[in-house]
Amino acid sequence: MNTRRFYTPGAFYLMEEHSLRRILSDIPLGGLRYFEQTGSTNDVALAWAAEGAPDLALVCAEEQTSGRGRSDRRWFTPPGTALAFSLVLRPLPGEEQSVTLFSGLGAMAVCQALEMRELHPEIKWPNDVLLNHCKVCGILAETVWMGERVDCIVLGIGVNVKPEAVPPSDLLNFPSTSIEAEIGKRVDRLNLLRDILQALLYWRGLLARDDFLNAWEKHLAFRGEQVEIRTEEDLARIAKVEGLERDGSLRLSSYDGQVFMVQFGEVHLRPVL
Ligand code: BTN
């Protein structure tokens, strides 16, 4: 049932830092920095990482004034309407081979938290979460290198909770929605954040196993369908989505049955209408 029509957006409640700290107290964070307003939580987390932030250091903001998306796009976070947070992930021993899976890890964590709310999310590769074919969450994974080695990944996650978090359509590059518009009732943002972080810890423990990749693949949007793949150089190609490779790259097949992979990077994918 499409509940969107029956939902009337209501008042905004701002997060309270002490409630945030209390609800996350069971999660083994490497630290928590909360801002009523900041430029971008990814920028704050990158600066903190440079000062030595530990694994699972979390930066959370009620409002971002210069939130960033992929390909230098802007990301809107008006106060009281969304989740905007960034986690510093330092590869644990044995995780070095799995860092290419970290953005999928964020997407899977959001999916699991949405499924707990009876929703049916999909992942538009590499890491946008969709509800009803519309984007509800964007993820920006930024890697900090130390020579040849990954020092850390800052995983920034933005979730549209209320309809007011969705920017006007002329500013969107993909149709978007919010959780409350889809579910037709209020959603507690702090509970949602806790559920996302708990799911992230759960899936992180399974990254090296097939279970994680299978779960990600099961959530893959447009699987078996034709999509347009567009690279930064604006080269467009039509292909069918086949599945995922072990390193998280996307496996596709062209019209003549030739199978090819797309690695992470500035690649955009959209359905062929
Ligand atoms: C995208 O869809 O292009 C990615 C959007 C990522 C937005 C989040 S919100 C928290 C974090 N801080 C940012 O500036 N960006 C990410």
Side-chain angles (χ1 to χ4, degrees):
M1 184 181 70
N2 189 344
T3 47
R4 255 181 269 188
R5 277 174 293 157
F6 307 114
Y7 172 67
T8 320
F12 297 158
Y13 297 97
L14 298 188
M15 258 181 218
E16 286 174 1
E17 184 171 353
H18 68 91
S19 309
L20 175 71
R21 289 189 182 277
R22 196 181 53 230
I23 207 152
L24 300 183
S25 59
D26 286 348
I27 299 185
L29 295 174
L32 170 60
R33 291 188 180 171
Y34 168 75
F35 297 85
E36 264 177 37
Q37 186 191 70
T38 192
S40 151
T41 56
N42 262 41
D43 290 344
V44 176
L46 285 166
W48 191 5
E51 290 162 13
D55 184 45
L56 290 177
L58 176 68
V59 179
C60 184
E62 179 64 81
E63 178 182 9
Q64 292 187 117
T65 52
S66 43
R68 297 187 285 111
R70 292 173 68 217
S71 302
D72 290 330
R73 279 193 295 269
R74 289 179 65 198
W75 183 265
F76 293 84
T77 312
T81 66
L83 282 180
F85 61 95
S86 303
L87 262 182
V88 177
L89 296 175
R90 298 208 178 264
L92 304 172
E95 258 183 10
E96 295 83 358
Q97 306 306 315
S98 306
V99 288
T100 53
L101 304 176
F102 276 6
S103 55
L105 170 66
M108 269 308 300
V110 173
C111 283
Q112 185 161 321
L114 294 177
E115 280 164 353
M116 288 166 71
R117 288 160 178 77
E118 311 295 327
L119 290 162
H120 305 286
E122 292 184 300
I123 301 173
K124 181 166 87 72
W125 189 90
N127 49 17
D128 288 342
V129 179
L130 310 181
L131 284 175
N132 262 328
H133 311 297
C134 295
K135 179 163 168 173
V136 72
C137 161
I139 297 178
L140 180 66
E142 298 187 290
T143 307
V144 179
W145 291 91
M146 188 83 93
E148 300 280 285
R149 186 177 69 73
V150 172
D151 180 49
C152 71
I153 289 190
V154 167
L155 194 63
I157 301 186
V159 186
N160 300 334
V161 179
K162 291 185 177 289
E164 291 79 359
V166 180
S169 53
D170 53 323
L171 296 176
L172 293 172
N173 74 324
F174 196 86
S176 296
T177 189
S178 67
I179 302 177
E180 291 192 357
E182 298 300 328
I183 208 173
K185 60 181 183 194
R186 303 251 140 71
V187 170
D188 184 292
R189 288 183 298 148
L190 294 184
N191 284 331
L192 179 69
L193 174 60
R194 182 204 51 214
D195 292 345
I196 294 172
L197 293 172
Q198 271 171 348
L200 193 138
L201 293 184
Y202 169 78
W203 285 112
R204 188 180 186 182
L206 299 176
L207 267 191
R209 307 237 304 250
D210 286 343
D211 306 29
F212 171 72
L213 212 67
N214 292 342
W216 184 5
E217 204 167 51
K218 208 173 112 216
H219 285 82
L220 212 53
F222 317 120
R223 193 151 175 224
E225 293 174 33
Q226 302 283 339
V227 294
E228 183 187 275
I229 298 281
R230 189 174 284 279
T231 62
E232 254 332 56
E233 299 80 42
D234 234 24
L235 297 171
R237 194 169 174 185
I238 307 285
K240 187 164 85 177
V241 175
E242 299 287 352
L244 292 170
E245 289 292 288
R246 192 77 208 72
D247 66 352
S249 46
L250 187 66
R251 191 171 63 253
L252 301 124
S253 62
S254 52
Y255 69 97
D256 57 0
Q258 213 179 24
V259 174
F260 65 99
M261 320 306 164
V262 175
Q263 311 283 335
F264 290 95
E266 292 314 333
V267 170
H268 303 278
L269 180 153
R270 53 183 62 244
V272 177
L273 300 173

